[in-house]
């Protein structure tokens, strides 16, 4: 077994949060795999050193190679770890971990990130968050629960100060969405509860509003703000909702889609809890082009929220797209449960 060239986890990534991420990554890598750290958001060599150190500390055979091309270990079960941009024709056999940071865009870079098996968000370099794991590596684990909570718990206290002025946009979208009075409205990924008052107004005094979020700190802010006075709050995973089949009339999902670990499964779970004829409202208080520009990107034709791909995804998961609006000031897609 080989340790990092620094003789342990490098000081630059020795924080508790980095340790959690490295241990999660180590747990995803199969024995005997070739792993390469790449990306635009951090010191790939340092992260490779840290990953090798964690693998070694766990008693797993590991070889940290200096070149950028990792190949399966010569000893049975040995994981090889490399860093940097591959120039090898064997790239397809590698597990690629992409470090995503603040960059100025470029479609080729986006393509490389999309092809990666794992994406680690380093927009806050001191607080890494795993954003994507390919299904073969994710298995049946709920890695996204820990990672989503790590992202949102750190931001809950200041969330409304940064985004609180967009509540009128939420109210306008809900007002347009045809939520039936007297119905049950579900806000999935409700965060600090910015949509709850508008949903309450939509269903009226005889209806019910349920807010679901994965992060306790977000729900605490929703309660403290008073927005949850007329709603039931649940600490739960959007991919495994604690609701019976066909129990709600409308699902409101603001900013949720980009945080679902696997889109078809997540959208299918929303369909499961919605009765036939019920509504799905996918919303964001800025258009997709504006959202992507913040990360130095532009819309792509294969983006899941483009009209065509979204319509196809909804059709496969029990919905029919019946409204789509994407100007600069908002994104609003509506669907009916089939």
């Amino acid at each position: 077994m080989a340790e990092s060239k620094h003789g342990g986890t490098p000081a630059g990534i020795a924080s508790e949060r980095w340790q959690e991420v490295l241990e999660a990554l180590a747990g995803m890598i199969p024995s005997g795999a070739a792993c390469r750290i790449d990306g635009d958001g951090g010191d790939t060599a340092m992260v490779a050193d840290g990953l090798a150190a964690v693998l070694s500390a766990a008693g797993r055979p590991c070889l940290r190679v200096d070149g950028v091309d990792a190949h399966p270990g010569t000893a049975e079960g040995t994981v090889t770890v490399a860093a940097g941009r591959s120039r090898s024709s064997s790239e397809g056999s590698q597990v690629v971990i992409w470090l995503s940071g603040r960059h100025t865009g470029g479609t080729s870079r986006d393509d490389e990130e999309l092809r990666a098996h794992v994406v680690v968000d380093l927009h806050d370099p001191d607080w890494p968050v795993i954003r994507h794991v390919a299904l073969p590596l994710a298995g049946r684990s709920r890695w996204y629960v820990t990672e989503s909570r790590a992202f949102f718990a750190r931001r809950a206290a200041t969330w409304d100060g940064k985004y609180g002025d967009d509540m009128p946009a939420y109210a306008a979208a809900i007002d347009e969405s045809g939520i039936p009075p007297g119905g049950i409205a579900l806000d999935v990924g409700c965060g600090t509860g910015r949509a709850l008052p508008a949903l309450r107004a939509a269903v009226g005094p005889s209806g019910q509003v349920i807010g679901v979020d994965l992060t306790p700190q977000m729900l605490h802010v929703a309660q403290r703000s008073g927005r949850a006075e007329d709603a039931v709050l649940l600490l739960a995973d959007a991919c495994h909702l604690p609701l019976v089949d066909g129990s709600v009339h409308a699902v409101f999902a603001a900013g949720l889609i980009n945080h679902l670990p696997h889109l078809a499964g997540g959208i299918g779970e929303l369909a499961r809890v919605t009765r036939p004829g019920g509504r799905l409202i996918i919303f964001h208080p800025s258009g997709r082009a504006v959202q992507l520009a913040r990360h130095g990107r532009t819309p792509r034709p294969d983006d899941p929220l483009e009209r065509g791909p979204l319509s196809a995804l909804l059709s496969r998961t029990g919905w029919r797209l019946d409204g789509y609006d994407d100007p600069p000031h908002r994104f609003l897609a509506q669907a009916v449960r089939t």
Side-chain angles (χ1 to χ4, degrees):
M1 289 179 286
E3 288 199 359
S4 140
K5 64 179 69 176
H6 293 284
T9 303
I13 53 172
S15 70
E16 183 176 346
R17 171 90 276 253
W18 262 113
Q19 191 68 16
E20 290 174 346
V21 168
L22 291 171
E23 289 176 358
L25 295 176
M28 297 172 188
I29 300 171
S31 295
C35 178
R36 181 169 57 83
I37 314 297
D38 197 355
D40 57 14
D43 188 331
T44 58
M46 184 178 290
V47 175
D49 289 343
L51 180 59
V54 168
L55 287 163
S56 295
R60 297 184 61 184
C62 175
L63 179 64
R64 169 69 169 97
V65 297
D66 289 329
V68 296
D69 295 322
H71 300 280
T74 54
E76 184 176 357
T78 298
V79 175
T80 57
V81 181
R85 193 62 45 87
S86 176
R87 295 183 295 273
S88 170
S89 59
S90 65
E91 182 177 357
S93 66
Q94 300 177 14
V95 173
V96 178
I97 298 173
W98 184 271
L99 309 181
S100 179
R102 295 186 182 278
H103 56 73
T104 57
T107 56
S108 62
R109 177 173 287 156
D110 287 350
D111 288 341
E112 290 177 278
E113 180 171 330
L114 288 170
R115 288 196 299 267
H117 301 88
V118 181
V119 176
V120 180
D121 185 338
L122 289 181
H123 288 80
D124 180 350
D126 297 324
W127 199 260
V129 175
I130 299 172
R131 283 295 196 187
H132 164 76
V133 179
L135 273 173
L137 298 183
R140 298 179 62 84
S141 71
R142 295 191 187 179
W143 59 270
Y144 58 89
V145 173
T146 299
E147 296 305 304
S148 293
R149 286 175 174 166
F151 179 83
F152 286 107
R154 187 174 172 90
R155 295 164 170 79
T158 58
W159 195 261
D160 285 346
K162 191 172 184 180
Y163 302 110
D165 61 355
D166 56 21
M167 287 182 65
Y170 279 69
I174 290 168
D175 187 55
E176 294 177 32
S177 298
I179 298 174
I184 300 174
L186 174 66
D187 185 358
V188 183
C190 68
T192 61
R194 287 177 292 166
L196 297 179
L199 290 170
R200 165 51 61 194
V203 300
S206 61
Q208 185 177 11
V209 177
I210 303 171
V212 172
D213 204 87
L214 194 57
T215 307
Q217 292 85 346
M218 283 290 198
L219 294 179
H220 175 71
V221 175
Q223 291 174 320
R224 189 182 62 199
S225 69
R227 298 183 196 124
E229 290 180 354
D230 295 320
V232 175
L233 296 186
L234 300 176
L235 178 66
D237 177 3
C239 299
H240 300 274
L241 292 167
L243 300 171
V244 300
D245 295 0
S247 56
V248 305
H249 296 85
V251 176
F252 184 75
L256 174 72
I257 300 303
N258 291 335
H259 295 281
L260 293 174
H262 302 291
L263 280 178
I267 299 296
E269 176 66 355
L270 301 183
R272 180 188 68 78
V273 302
T274 306
R275 62 188 59 192
R279 301 195 64 75
L280 171 64
I281 303 105
I282 302 173
F283 174 73
H284 197 282
S286 57
R288 288 188 314 111
V290 174
Q291 296 173 51
L292 291 168
R294 292 171 185 156
H295 301 283
R297 297 175 179 170
T298 56
R300 302 166 52 101
D302 59 349
D303 186 288
L305 289 179
E306 278 280 352
R307 184 192 289 267
L310 179 60
S311 180
L313 171 66
L314 291 169
S315 296
R316 294 196 306 271
T317 53
W319 302 95
R320 173 176 54 81
L321 182 69
D322 76 341
Y324 189 91
D325 190 35
D326 187 24
H329 68 280
R330 74 170 185 183
F331 176 85
L332 178 63
Q334 302 181 60
V336 176
R337 179 71 169 93
T338 56

